[in-house]
Amino acid sequence: MPAPDGPTGSTVPRRQLGRILGELRERAGLTVKAAAKELERSPVTLWRVEQGKVASRMVEVKAMCECYGASKDLTKALVGLAQETKAKGWWHAYGDVIPAGFDLYIGLEEAASRIDWYEPELVPGLLQTEDYARTIMREGQGSPIETPEEIERRVQVRLKRRALLTRITTPPTLNVLVNEAVVRRPIGGHSIMAGQLTHLAEVSRMPNITIRVVPFSSGLHQGVMTGQFQILRFPLAGNGKETEPPTVYSDGYTGDLYLDRPSEVDRYDKAFQDIASKSLTAEASRHLILEMAEHHEQT
């Protein structure tokens, strides 16, 4: 499939705009509740704007800037940023089958320059084959009420996400740590698993992808406590500053978790380093993955 030339969508502009508006509100000495009353909006709506979860109309941003006492130049810049929050990424065409809130993650994933990813149970979504992904959609994560057509559309979303790894312009660096169970558990049967492991071994040779296995023999490590998580980091602007703060994402069974406070990111970063220190080398990991692929082929 063709890879896009670069990040698309409105996620990062929404988050940037929401963060600045939140800072302006706080400097004005207003609580969310008080500001919402002044602006004749609900506190929940205002909170969602500040969290970057929804797009903002330019007239609404202008009203917030006036309420918070922003300068004319800043107001003009934020109104322009509000226009960018309406851009739509490719995933909006699949809004009917993307889980609630997951579009925010896809936008961040598209914009990231580096992703550190720990998975204890399954192959990371960006590295899944079509058959492996379909098996998970049918048996693992899919709702009982989903039709075969909806499942296929969800599979296509997962496959389209992979395009960012091979895009021509600045593909992200992907550092993956997987528990040994991921390469041993036959998801979908031995044939599907053999294909999946062969794919893992192939992509592990790409210059921007590193895959390492955490062996059972490593014993206790931080990943046992943290569970699955990703740390997403973003490109630097021309002035050397981050365009977005690093963000930790964890995909829970009943909801997603986003963390971007420096202290929170630092804890997960240290956990990732601890897990990495107990992992096999990239070469040894590839050898184990190919060994297991051969085992599944012969079973």
Coordinates of all heavy atoms in Angstrom, one line a residue, residues 3 7 27 41 43 54 62-64 79 87 104 127 131 145 163 165 171 187 191 194 220 222 230 248 265 270 297:
A3 N 2.6 4.6 1.1 CA 2.8 5.3 2.4 C 2.6 6.8 2.2 O 3.0 7.4 1.2 CB 4.2 5.0 2.9
P7 N 3.0 13.1 8.5 CA 1.9 13.1 9.4 C 0.7 14.0 8.8 O 0.9 15.0 8.2 CB 2.5 13.8 10.7 CG 3.9 13.6 10.6 CD 4.2 13.6 9.1
R27 N -4.1 31.6 33.9 CA -3.4 32.9 34.2 C -4.5 33.9 34.5 O -4.2 34.9 35.2 CB -2.6 33.3 33.0 CG -1.3 32.5 32.8 CD -0.6 33.0 31.5 NE 0.5 32.0 31.2 CZ 1.1 32.1 30.0 NH1 0.9 33.0 29.1 NH2 2.1 31.2 29.8
R41 N -20.9 27.9 28.0 CA -20.6 26.5 27.5 C -20.6 25.6 28.7 O -20.4 26.1 29.8 CB -19.3 26.5 26.7 CG -19.1 27.4 25.6 CD -17.9 27.2 24.8 NE -17.9 26.0 24.0 CZ -16.9 25.6 23.3 NH1 -15.8 26.2 23.3 NH2 -17.0 24.5 22.5
P43 N -19.0 22.9 31.3 CA -17.6 22.6 31.8 C -17.0 21.4 31.0 O -15.8 21.4 30.8 CB -17.8 22.3 33.3 CG -19.0 23.1 33.6 CD -19.9 23.0 32.4
V54 N -11.5 17.6 20.9 CA -12.4 18.0 19.9 C -11.8 19.2 19.2 O -11.0 19.9 19.7 CB -13.8 18.4 20.5 CG1 -14.5 17.2 21.1 CG2 -13.6 19.5 21.6
K62 N -11.8 32.7 19.5 CA -11.7 34.2 19.7 C -12.4 34.6 21.0 O -11.9 35.5 21.7 CB -12.3 34.9 18.5 CG -12.1 36.4 18.5 CD -12.7 37.0 17.2 CE -12.5 38.5 17.2 NZ -13.0 39.2 16.0
A63 N -13.6 34.0 21.3 CA -14.3 34.4 22.5 C -13.5 34.0 23.7 O -13.5 34.8 24.7 CB -15.7 33.7 22.5
M64 N -12.9 32.8 23.7 CA -12.1 32.4 24.8 C -10.9 33.3 25.0 O -10.6 33.7 26.2 CB -11.6 30.9 24.6 CG -12.7 29.9 24.9 SD -12.1 28.2 24.8 CE -12.5 27.8 23.1
V79 N -6.5 31.6 16.6 CA -7.7 31.5 15.7 C -7.2 30.7 14.4 O -7.9 29.9 13.9 CB -8.2 32.9 15.3 CG1 -9.2 32.8 14.1 CG2 -9.0 33.5 16.5
A87 N -8.7 19.8 10.2 CA -8.1 18.9 9.2 C -8.4 17.4 9.5 O -8.5 17.1 10.7 CB -6.6 19.1 9.2
L104 N -7.7 9.8 18.6 CA -6.7 10.6 19.2 C -5.3 9.9 19.2 O -4.3 10.5 18.8 CB -7.1 10.9 20.6 CG -6.1 11.7 21.5 CD1 -5.8 13.1 20.8 CD2 -6.6 11.9 22.9
L127 N 2.8 -3.9 13.8 CA 3.6 -5.0 13.2 C 2.8 -6.2 12.9 O 3.4 -7.3 12.5 CB 4.8 -5.3 14.1 CG 5.7 -4.2 14.5 CD1 6.8 -4.7 15.5 CD2 6.4 -3.6 13.2
D131 N -3.8 -11.6 8.7 CA -4.4 -12.7 9.3 C -4.4 -12.7 10.8 O -5.3 -13.0 11.5 CB -3.8 -14.0 8.8 CG -4.1 -14.3 7.3 OD1 -5.1 -13.8 6.8 OD2 -3.3 -15.1 6.7
I145 N -21.4 -8.0 18.7 CA -22.4 -7.5 17.8 C -21.7 -7.0 16.5 O -22.5 -6.6 15.6 CB -23.2 -6.3 18.4 CG1 -22.3 -5.1 18.7 CG2 -23.9 -6.8 19.6 CD1 -23.0 -3.9 19.2
A163 N 1.6 1.9 7.3 CA 2.2 2.7 6.3 C 3.1 3.8 6.8 O 4.1 4.1 6.1 CB 1.1 3.4 5.4
L165 N 5.4 3.5 8.9 CA 6.8 2.9 9.1 C 7.6 2.9 7.8 O 8.8 2.8 7.9 CB 6.6 1.5 9.6 CG 6.0 1.3 11.0 CD1 5.8 -0.2 11.3 CD2 6.8 2.0 12.1
P171 N 10.1 8.6 8.5 CA 9.3 7.5 9.2 C 9.8 7.5 10.7 O 11.0 7.8 11.0 CB 9.7 6.2 8.5 CG 11.1 6.5 7.9 CD 11.0 8.0 7.5
I187 N -1.4 -17.6 18.2 CA -2.7 -16.8 17.9 C -3.2 -17.2 16.5 O -2.4 -17.1 15.5 CB -2.4 -15.3 17.9 CG1 -1.9 -14.9 19.3 CG2 -3.7 -14.5 17.5 CD1 -2.9 -15.0 20.4
S191 N -0.2 -21.9 11.4 CA 0.1 -21.3 10.1 C 0.1 -19.8 10.1 O 1.0 -19.1 9.6 CB -0.9 -21.8 9.1 OG -0.7 -21.2 7.8
A194 N 3.1 -18.6 12.1 CA 4.4 -18.7 11.4 C 4.5 -17.5 10.4 O 5.6 -16.9 10.3 CB 4.4 -20.0 10.6
L220 N 11.6 -11.2 37.1 CA 10.8 -10.0 37.4 C 11.4 -8.8 36.8 O 12.6 -8.6 36.9 CB 10.7 -9.8 38.9 CG 9.7 -8.7 39.4 CD1 8.3 -9.0 39.0 CD2 9.9 -8.5 40.9
Q222 N 10.1 -4.4 35.3 CA 9.1 -3.4 35.5 C 7.9 -3.6 34.6 O 6.8 -3.2 35.0 CB 9.7 -2.0 35.2 CG 10.7 -1.5 36.2 CD 10.0 -1.3 37.5 OE1 9.0 -0.6 37.6 NE2 10.6 -1.9 38.6
Q230 N 3.0 2.5 25.4 CA 3.8 3.1 24.4 C 4.3 4.5 24.9 O 3.5 5.2 25.6 CB 3.1 3.3 23.1 CG 2.8 2.1 22.3 CD 1.3 1.6 22.5 OE1 0.9 1.0 23.4 NE2 0.5 2.0 21.5
V248 N 2.7 9.2 27.1 CA 2.6 7.7 27.4 C 1.1 7.3 27.1 O 0.2 8.0 27.5 CB 2.9 7.4 28.9 CG1 2.6 5.9 29.1 CG2 4.4 7.7 29.2
V265 N 6.0 10.5 32.5 CA 6.7 10.0 31.3 C 8.1 9.5 31.8 O 8.5 8.4 31.3 CB 6.9 11.1 30.3 CG1 7.8 10.6 29.2 CG2 5.6 11.6 29.8
K270 N 11.9 5.0 32.5 CA 12.8 4.2 33.3 C 12.3 2.7 33.3 O 13.2 1.8 33.3 CB 12.8 4.7 34.7 CG 13.6 6.1 34.9 CD 13.6 6.6 36.3 CE 14.4 7.9 36.4 NZ 14.3 8.5 37.7
E297 N 5.7 -23.6 11.6 CA 5.5 -24.2 10.3 C 5.5 -25.7 10.3 O 4.8 -26.3 9.5 CB 6.7 -23.7 9.4 CG 6.5 -22.2 9.0 CD 7.7 -21.8 8.2 OE1 8.8 -22.5 8.2 OE2 7.7 -20.6 7.6

